[in-house]
Amino acid sequence: MADIDNKDQAEMDPADMEDVEEVEEDETGEDENSKARQLTVQMMQNPQILAALQERLDGLNGSPSGYMESLPKVVKRRVNALKNLQVKCTHIEAKFYEEVHELERKYAALYQPLFDKRSDIVKAAYEPTDEECEWKADEEEELTDEMKEKAKLEEEKKDEEKEDPKGIPEFWLTVFKNVDLLSDMLQEHDEPILKHLQDIKVKFSDPGQPMSFTLEFHFEPNDFFTNTVLTKTYKMRSEPDESDPFSFDGPEIMCCTGCTIDWTKGKNVTLKTIKKKQKHKGRGTVRTVTKTVPNDSFFNFFTPPEVPENGELDEDSEAVLAADFEIGHFIRERIVPRAVLYFTGEAIEDDDDDYDEEGEEADDEEGEEEADEENDPDYDPKV
């Protein structure tokens, strides 16, 4: 049998022999590649190797490539000239943002009459006309005349069964509860107070004054505090840092100041009373001590950490201020201008749609990766 095989091989064309050798080499290469892939997967599952790799990558972040150092001196001089031009651009950009602030102030005055009317409707100081209440629904939401009449009768029946509410009850509280950034700040004991919130206004600094804006929270008379308005002022700066001009990225909030809340006795939700038992070291007697400690509350928003003159803060205070600045900007730029859409949830749905699209893309990519792995003859799901 061996003689026959040798004879067959002798009679084969030399070109065929080359093909056979190439196939054998390919198969060997595939086996080696498969083993290499499996070894790589196992290594990447080792936490010590991953930690070492991450440390190495962290060390590379921001490290110079050496290209600049390799440039001739004459070229480096020209690059320095470009950087000086960039600094001048940064100062022009700062002036641009100052003018944007002036433009915001101008248009805030145009928006305000509309916001005032919104407030009057919310707090029942003004009843809108039928014409003002007419809202054209989307085509898919349009109803037949028969369905409209039926819905109208049902609404009238409901109105007869209950008291006619004034304005739009709990308008701002609903807005806060609908927005994750704000609802995370709310505690159950805050809600009865925020039911009395009637309006939030944004006031910009006067012309010629340093850039700033103030959030005004207007409350109707209530049993919790005597203030009718609670304020929070954010001071801003639109100028590059001389020591690091290229870090400039538009106006930044430098600090913020709150206000004193004149709480009614026993109604301060930012404080809570706790009782602790203390044992006397010598006599062994036990006594109960009452202490007042800070309490989680939305109204802590009006007492932010103070920024020292040297500007240095501990990590906790920095984190609190960073979150505070984000909230202040969000209320000013999104909540106040589009309050009704956050009340109805339409603005939130738009935000969610954006996130869903990203999620779908990620899911699709993940699905494609899984499909590729399953179609790979070397893929081993156990590895």
Side-chain angles (χ1 to χ4, degrees):
M1 189 70 182
D3 293 338
I4 296 174
D5 291 340
N6 292 335
K7 183 179 179 182
D8 290 339
Q9 288 181 2
E11 293 175 355
M12 289 178 68
D13 188 274
D16 294 336
M17 290 295 291
E18 289 178 4
D19 290 342
V20 171
E21 289 173 0
E22 287 177 2
V23 169
E24 289 175 351
E25 287 177 2
D26 288 344
E27 289 176 353
T28 303
E30 286 179 5
D31 289 341
E32 290 177 354
N33 289 338
S34 177
K35 290 177 182 178
R37 275 196 296 269
Q38 292 180 16
L39 181 60
T40 301
V41 170
Q42 291 171 358
M43 289 175 64
M44 295 308 291
Q45 289 175 344
N46 186 317
Q48 293 179 336
I49 293 176
L50 286 174
L53 182 59
Q54 185 62 51
E55 185 178 352
R56 175 66 176 161
L57 291 173
D58 291 341
L60 292 174
N61 285 343
S63 59
S65 63
Y67 174 70
M68 282 298 298
E69 287 75 9
S70 68
L71 292 175
K73 186 176 180 180
V74 65
V75 176
K76 289 181 181 178
R77 288 180 67 255
R78 293 168 191 151
V79 171
N80 288 338
L82 296 186
K83 291 172 75 173
N84 286 325
L85 290 175
Q86 188 63 46
V87 171
K88 291 180 180 180
C89 289
T90 303
H91 283 280
I92 293 173
E93 185 182 5
K95 293 296 181 185
F96 164 77
Y97 283 115
E98 287 180 2
E99 292 199 22
V100 168
H101 187 72
E102 294 296 323
L103 201 60
E104 281 185 306
R105 186 191 352 262
K106 173 186 173 182
Y107 276 86
L110 301 177
Y111 286 128
Q112 197 53 53
L114 301 176
F115 294 157
D116 288 342
K117 194 166 189 177
R118 176 181 71 187
S119 177
D120 288 341
I121 293 173
V122 168
K123 62 187 181 184
Y126 172 77
E127 184 61 36
T129 64
D130 290 343
E131 184 180 356
E132 290 173 321
C133 295
E134 186 67 30
W135 179 257
K136 181 173 174 56
D138 295 334
E139 290 183 7
E140 62 268 22
E141 294 178 357
E142 288 185 356
L143 306 173
T144 63
D145 291 339
E146 183 179 349
M147 292 177 69
K148 286 181 180 178
E149 185 63 29
K150 184 178 179 182
K152 183 179 178 182
L153 291 173
E154 288 180 358
E155 286 295 324
E156 289 176 353
K157 185 178 179 181
K158 287 180 182 177
D159 289 342
E160 290 175 2
E161 293 175 353
K162 61 182 179 181
E163 267 186 51
D164 182 22
K166 302 297 181 184
I168 304 179
E170 303 182 12
F171 177 83
W172 289 102
L173 173 59
T174 303
V175 170
F176 276 45
K177 292 171 77 171
N178 281 347
V179 178
D180 289 342
L181 189 64
L182 301 177
S183 65
D184 288 344
M185 302 167 64
L186 292 185
Q187 307 297 322
E188 189 175 344
H189 48 254
D190 294 324
E191 295 188 16
I193 308 175
L194 287 171
K195 288 180 181 181
H196 298 283
L197 179 59
Q198 294 183 314
D199 197 12
I200 303 177
K201 295 181 180 180
V202 180
K203 295 292 179 69
F204 291 91
S205 53
D206 295 329
Q209 295 298 312
M211 291 176 64
S212 69
F213 67 91
T214 299
L215 301 176
E216 295 183 349
F217 294 72
H218 292 252
F219 287 83
E220 65 182 352
N222 59 79
D223 297 332
F224 299 92
F225 45 72
T226 57
N227 313 64
T228 55
V229 181
L230 300 181
T231 61
K232 183 78 169 286
T233 299
Y234 292 87
K235 295 180 181 178
M236 305 166 67
R237 182 180 70 177
S238 181
E239 58 185 57
D241 184 345
E242 293 300 327
S243 63
D244 186 16
F246 302 133
S247 66
F248 180 75
D249 191 27
E252 59 178 334
I253 294 175
M254 301 305 298
C255 65
C256 58
T257 54
C259 66
T260 300
I261 302 177
D262 300 319
W263 294 99
T264 305
K265 187 176 180 180
K267 298 289 187 177
N268 188 346
V269 295
T270 64
L271 298 174
K272 65 181 177 181
T273 302
I274 62 172
K275 292 183 178 181
K276 278 192 170 184
K277 290 185 177 181
Q278 294 181 341
K279 187 176 182 180
H280 193 279
K281 293 180 180 178
R283 295 191 296 270
T285 56
V286 178
R287 67 174 183 175
T288 301
V289 178
T290 301
K291 295 179 67 176
T292 300
V293 296
N295 191 27
D296 290 338
S297 169
F298 164 76
F299 291 91
N300 290 323
F301 179 69
F302 297 97
T303 53
E306 292 185 8
V307 179
E309 291 184 4
N310 60 12
E312 294 182 3
L313 292 167
D314 58 52
E315 289 186 6
D316 291 341
S317 297
E318 280 188 0
V320 170
L321 278 179
D324 188 288
F325 294 170
E326 181 183 0
I327 293 164
H329 268 308
F330 190 78
I331 292 174
R332 164 196 157 186
E333 295 178 355
R334 302 292 295 275
I335 298 296
V336 171
R338 310 177 70 202
V340 66
L341 300 181
Y342 284 99
F343 176 81
T344 61
E346 291 167 82
I348 302 159
E349 289 173 5
D350 291 342
D351 293 342
D352 289 344
D353 287 344
D354 293 338
Y355 283 112
D356 286 341
E357 287 173 6
E358 292 178 5
E360 286 168 8
E361 289 175 5
D363 290 343
D364 290 343
E365 290 173 3
E366 187 177 342
E368 289 173 6
E369 289 177 3
E370 290 177 357
D372 291 341
E373 288 174 347
E374 289 174 2
N375 293 330
D376 185 352
D378 296 324
Y379 171 64
D380 185 353
K382 297 177 183 178
V383 177

